[in-house]
């Protein structure tokens, strides 16, 4: 069973389009995250939700909007896509009060290419 | 603000040999967690090993062990009996204890394993 899943795994689109990436976790975790990994492999946190409440919101263009319909899902919607948005986007989840020091479990990533 | 530094962008090791990847961090906190994540070409992020700052004993997971030097703020990863499947990007990450669940990431070390 997949613990953290993302769809789609690959996304190729034109500049200016609007796209969404979906994330679901079946681990029963209460916290979910979105990360962006650029071409140099640098990982940067974008957002984090705990029980559907936004708790981390880094300096990200407001073209990016996360939505958490329930604590098992955290979707990322991107408006007016730009070339610089091309990256791999990772979803992750963790349990706030886990004895395992809040290990984050990652999805397989979504490679977004903006043409 | 906390920072994580991985000073070795690339490393290589012969199969069956031992390699050490370095990581240093900067924090004024006394309670925190440290992690090593592995990202193989499949791009899946996999937790390799974790260390709680309050524990003096170095964490070990099979062939993977850490050398945690709290005073020096150093957290190196040792891989013994290297295998071809160990070839990957390795990321060091830091997280404060408490409610702030944000992981601070290093830039990664690309490890090649030579047969």
């Amino acid at each position: 069973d997949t613990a953290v899943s993302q769809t789609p795994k690959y996304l190729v689109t034109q500049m200016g389009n609007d796209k969404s990436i979906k994330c679901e976790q079946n681990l029963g975790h209460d916290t979910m995250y979105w990360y962006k990994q650029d071409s140099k492999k640098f990982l940067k946190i974008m957002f984090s939700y705990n029980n559907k409440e936004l708790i981390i919101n880094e300096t990200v263009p407001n073209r990016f909007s996360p939505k958490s319909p329930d604590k098992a899902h955290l979707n990322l919607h991107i408006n007016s896509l730009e070339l610089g948005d091309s990256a791999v986007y990772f979803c992750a989840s963790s349990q706030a009060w886990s004895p395992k020091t809040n290990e984050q479990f990652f999805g397989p990533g979504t490679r977004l290419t903006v043409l | 603000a906390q920072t994580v530094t991985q000073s070795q962008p690339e490393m290589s090791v012969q199969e069956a040999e031992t390699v050490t990847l370095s990581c240093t961090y900067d924090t004024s906190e006394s309670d925190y967690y440290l992690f090593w994540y592995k990202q193989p070409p499949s791009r899946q992020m996999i937790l390799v090993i974790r260390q709680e700052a309050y524990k003096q004993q170095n964490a070990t997971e099979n062939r993977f062990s850490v050398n945690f030097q709290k005073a020096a703020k150093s957290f190196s990863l040792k891989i013994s009996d290297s295998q071809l499947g160990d070839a990957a990007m390795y990321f060091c990450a830091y997280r404060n204890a408490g409610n702030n669940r944000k992981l601070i990431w290093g830039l990664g070390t690309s490890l090649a394993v030579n047969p």
Side-chain angles (χ1 to χ4, degrees), chain A residues 44-89:
Chain A
K44 183 176 166 54
I45 183 79
M46 299 173 69
F47 303 102
S48 177
Y49 272 74
N50 175 254
N51 283 322
K52 303 196 298 174
E53 181 184 346
L54 183 65
I55 57 170
I56 295 175
N57 185 357
E58 293 295 290
T59 306
V60 175
N62 56 17
R63 298 182 294 105
F64 290 79
S65 53
K67 285 192 179 173
S68 181
D70 56 61
K71 70 176 190 177
H73 296 83
L74 181 62
N75 303 323
L76 182 65
H77 188 75
I78 315 170
N79 288 328
S80 303
L81 278 155
E82 300 178 357
L83 293 176
D85 297 333
S86 295
V88 179
Y89 291 83

Side-chain angles (χ1 to χ4, degrees), chain B residues 78-95:
Chain B
K78 185 171 85 170
I79 307 174
S80 304
D81 185 26
S82 296
Q83 299 176 0
L84 295 178
D86 295 334
M89 282 289 286
Y90 286 83
F91 292 95
C92 179
Y94 164 100
R95 190 183 81 77

Side-chain angles (χ1 to χ4, degrees), chain B residues 14-29:
Chain B
Q14 291 296 125
E15 201 175 358
E17 297 292 309
T18 295
V19 64
T20 299
L21 309 184
S22 67
C23 173
T24 58
Y25 57 95
D26 189 24
T27 184
S28 57
E29 302 290 328

Side-chain angles (χ1 to χ4, degrees), chain B:
Chain B
Q2 292 88 8
T3 58
V4 175
T5 302
Q6 293 179 249
S7 58
Q8 306 150 316
E10 296 178 345
M11 294 277 289
S12 65
V13 62
Q14 291 296 125
E15 201 175 358
E17 297 292 309
T18 295
V19 64
T20 299
L21 309 184
S22 67
C23 173
T24 58
Y25 57 95
D26 189 24
T27 184
S28 57
E29 302 290 328
S30 59
D31 195 12
Y32 50 86
Y33 308 112
L34 296 162
F35 306 86
W36 278 99
Y37 277 86
K38 169 185 176 181
Q39 186 179 36
S42 67
R43 85 172 180 242
Q44 178 73 50
M45 294 289 287
I46 303 163
L47 179 68
V48 174
I49 199 164
R50 69 174 69 80
Q51 175 81 42
E52 293 90 338
Y54 64 85
K55 289 187 178 178
Q56 292 186 343
Q57 187 173 9
N58 288 325
T60 63
E61 287 286 344
N62 301 314
R63 297 182 296 108
F64 298 86
S65 61
V66 298
N67 183 4
F68 173 48
Q69 302 288 329
K70 191 172 183 180
K73 297 179 184 173
S74 170
F75 182 60
S76 60
L77 174 69
K78 185 171 85 170
I79 307 174
S80 304
D81 185 26
S82 296
Q83 299 176 0
L84 295 178
D86 295 334
M89 282 289 286
Y90 286 83
F91 292 95
C92 179
Y94 164 100
R95 190 183 81 77
N96 281 335
N99 289 334
N100 185 345
R101 302 178 183 92
K102 188 167 77 172
L103 278 172
I104 311 297
W105 297 85
L107 294 180
T109 297
S110 177
L111 177 67
V113 180
N114 303 315

